[in-house]
Amino acid sequence: MQYRAIIRILGLLVALFSVTMLPPALISLIYQDGGGLAFIVAFFLSLVTGLAIWYPNRTSKSDLRAKEGFLIVVLFWTVLATFGALPFALLDQPQMTITDAIFESFSGLTTTGATVIEGIEFLPKAVQFYRQQLQWLGGMGIIVLAVAVLPILGVGGMQLYRAETPGPVKDSKMTPRIADTAKHLWYIYLSLTIACSFAYWVAGMNLFDAVCHAFSTIAIGGFSTYDASLGYFNSVAVNIVCVVFLWIAALNFSLHYAAVSGRNIRNYFKDPECKTFFTIQFALITVCFLVLVNFSVYDSAEIALDQALIQAVSISTTAGFATTDFSSWPAFLPILLIFSSFIGGCAGSTGGGLKVIRVLLLFLQGKREVDRLIHPKAVYAVKLGDRAMPSRVVEAVWGFFAAYAIVFVIIMIGLIGTGLDNITAFSATAATLNNLGPGLGSVAGTYAEVSDGAKWMLVTAMLFGRLEVFSLLVLFSPTFWRS
């Protein structure tokens, strides 16, 4: 294990991350909100610490193996999210404990969207902006941005990219060079953010709110600048913009790249995962709409359709934006929406959850086993479209599902042990492991009332969800640490 090389890279990344403290300080200067000092202090602390870690190891350059790649990615998220908590801990408003500061930072950077803050609209503009910026940086994975510049620093990027990229098939690259891949991903990501900001502004938001909500929409994060989230705007146009861009962000970014580079959108209609994703989406919206109309929850069918559309899409893509308290909806809808977050977005998207392609492969494999029971001697292949999937991929998906289920059960039982009721513990685990945010019961709004011990468990769940379980779980294997 190349420990000195790993420490060198980590120091560089911390120093680079310190720069993200400057935009909120600039926002504070523009709005004169008095919240800028904490970000300036956090900037210098992060920069000095990063350089102090890097300088003694600056000559330790070596090729990364897969093992080092996994370790760097896990350290990257834990260390940077910890440094990201510095401004929260240093702020006068809101005053936060170390645990709450860590929780808020991890929630932002992992795009979970769970919060311990109440009265968000009364926070300094700098703090509001910083929360949204954390989600935007975490949405695509800051590590992919770092991969674009790491070759310049003498570090190979493929191992980092493989450990970070969501989805079961991690060997496919859109361009031959990994740095080019990362750059193209960010060009698309940035373009979508600008387009979403403009659309929100046209829909009626002011410029600050438009940019902030675009950050969390494209990142599928769910943070807002208001306690009432999107419900504050009470606008059908805002809800439609949110839905459209959540759908775009929840699709595999390689499809966006193919559409942009080839100036052709046919791949969207051919891709099995994309088709499955929209089938699930429209089924959820339809069910929610019919139940809301049947129970006469809203005054008109139009309002019911608007609420069904935004809440079904927001929860199922793991964004967690709210326009109403969906936990009070009738019948099975709250549980249905929480379960829909287990599916999440497509592989290679900014969404959380198991990912659509994994759920589709689990379904196809289950169907194959049923067919084998009927025809034991027949040979069946698991196919995505016209392509037969290698058995190694199918095995990996089952392994991932098993590991995911075990982690889920352990965290949920741990939360119940801290005193949370069953519904709250279940939904909080689902909301953090799927990087969703809001849950049911006492975590339907904020996580402020949750005990410190439970918050640390939920931070662990956020990490497991963001790193797709295996990237973190691999560090607990004795084989990993053997030379």
Side-chain angles (χ1 to χ4, degrees):
M1 191 75 76
Q2 305 288 336
Y3 289 111
R4 291 198 66 182
I6 292 170
I7 292 170
R8 169 182 165 270
I9 296 166
L10 201 61
L12 279 172
L13 293 175
V14 171
L16 284 171
F17 183 72
S18 69
V19 178
T20 65
M21 309 292 180
L22 295 179
L26 180 61
I27 293 292
S28 177
L29 186 64
I30 293 170
Y31 286 93
Q32 296 291 307
D33 60 15
L37 180 61
F39 294 98
I40 296 297
V41 173
F43 163 71
F44 281 110
L45 285 174
S46 302
L47 180 63
V48 170
T49 305
L51 292 177
I53 293 170
W54 165 79
Y55 188 77
N57 304 287
R58 63 191 182 283
T59 58
S60 302
K61 298 181 181 180
S62 59
D63 290 333
L64 288 175
R65 297 172 297 172
K67 286 170 65 171
E68 281 92 355
F70 282 115
L71 182 56
I72 288 171
V73 167
V74 173
L75 287 173
F76 176 90
W77 284 96
T78 51
V79 172
L80 261 62
T82 302
F83 277 92
L86 281 175
F88 292 122
L90 294 169
L91 283 167
D92 292 327
Q93 182 193 1
Q95 290 187 334
M96 301 177 74
T97 64
I98 295 297
T99 297
D100 283 351
I102 291 284
F103 184 95
E104 197 75 14
S105 178
F106 271 81
S107 179
L109 204 61
T110 59
T111 73
T112 302
T115 185
V116 293
I117 299 175
E118 296 172 311
I120 295 169
E121 55 260 51
F122 303 112
L123 296 177
K125 293 288 186 184
V127 181
Q128 293 179 355
F129 182 85
Y130 181 64
R131 294 172 74 248
Q132 309 298 118
Q133 178 188 266
L134 274 177
Q135 292 209 317
W136 188 74
L137 292 171
M140 177 63 72
I142 312 173
I143 197 69
V144 179
L145 176 62
V147 166
V149 297
L150 282 179
I152 302 169
L153 306 175
V155 180
M158 189 59 201
Q159 291 82 358
L160 295 176
Y161 181 79
R162 283 170 55 83
E164 161 60 19
T165 307
V169 185
K170 298 188 179 186
D171 290 319
S172 58
K173 303 192 294 291
M174 297 176 292
T175 57
R177 288 173 56 82
I178 187 62
D180 289 339
T181 298
K183 288 173 186 174
H184 281 93
L185 286 171
W186 271 92
Y187 291 150
I188 294 168
Y189 192 62
L190 182 60
S191 300
L192 287 174
T193 305
I194 293 169
C196 186
S197 300
F198 179 74
Y200 273 135
W201 179 68
V202 171
M205 288 188 182
N206 63 48
L207 184 60
F208 180 82
D209 285 340
V211 172
C212 286
H213 284 86
F215 278 179
S216 54
T217 300
I218 300 302
I220 309 189
F223 273 165
S224 176
T225 52
Y226 300 94
D227 278 347
S229 192
L230 290 185
Y232 170 86
F233 301 98
N234 193 27
S235 167
V236 174
V238 166
N239 293 348
I240 290 173
V241 169
C242 182
V243 165
V244 169
F245 280 96
L246 283 179
W247 277 340
I248 293 171
L251 295 178
N252 193 320
F253 269 61
S254 64
L255 290 177
H256 299 326
Y257 175 78
V260 171
S261 60
R263 293 179 175 83
N264 193 325
I265 63 170
R266 282 182 298 180
N267 286 332
Y268 291 111
F269 303 101
K270 292 180 181 178
D271 185 66
E273 185 183 26
C274 182
K275 291 190 286 188
T276 304
F277 171 74
F278 279 109
T279 300
I280 293 169
Q281 290 291 302
F282 291 129
L284 274 173
I285 294 164
T286 302
V287 170
C288 289
F289 171 68
L290 292 176
V291 172
L292 291 176
V293 169
N294 185 54
F295 280 83
S296 301
V297 177
Y298 297 101
D299 294 335
S300 68
E302 290 79 9
I303 298 175
L305 178 60
D306 175 47
Q307 294 298 322
L309 179 66
I310 183 63
Q311 287 303 144
V313 173
S314 175
I315 302 300
S316 64
T317 58
T318 73
F321 286 116
T323 53
T324 186
D325 181 12
F326 80 94
S327 65
S328 64
W329 276 3
F332 55 85
L333 289 187
I335 292 294
L336 173 68
L337 291 178
I338 290 292
F339 271 109
S340 72
S341 73
F342 283 84
I343 301 173
C346 299
S349 74
T350 58
L354 290 166
K355 302 295 185 295
V356 173
I357 194 169
R358 286 200 183 99
V359 175
L360 180 57
L361 286 173
L362 288 169
F363 171 78
L364 293 173
Q365 168 66 357
K367 182 176 178 296
R368 179 170 73 167
E369 293 306 314
V370 172
D371 291 339
R372 279 176 171 173
L373 290 174
I374 301 169
H375 302 288
K377 295 183 179 180
V379 177
Y380 296 99
V382 174
K383 286 188 174 182
L384 272 181
D386 297 326
R387 189 174 70 160
M389 298 303 294
S391 58
R392 177 71 188 89
V393 172
V394 178
E395 290 168 5
V397 170
W398 275 106
F400 174 86
F401 182 73
Y404 180 95
I406 291 169
V407 169
F408 186 97
V409 169
I410 290 172
I411 291 173
M412 186 179 76
I413 290 174
L415 291 177
I416 293 172
T418 67
L420 293 180
D421 62 87
N422 295 347
I423 290 293
T424 299
F426 169 79
S427 64
T429 307
T432 49
L433 193 57
N434 293 330
N435 301 131
L436 165 63
L440 304 174
S442 60
V443 294
T446 73
Y447 287 69
E449 301 304 317
V450 176
S451 69
D452 283 358
K455 284 173 184 169
W456 284 104
M457 289 184 203
L458 294 172
V459 165
T460 305
M462 294 176 199
L463 266 182
F464 269 111
R466 187 64 187 88
L467 295 174
E468 302 223 330
V469 181
F470 276 140
S471 295
L472 183 55
L473 207 58
V474 70
L475 300 189
F476 294 92
S477 168
T479 308
F480 179 85
W481 300 101
R482 293 186 194 130
S483 57

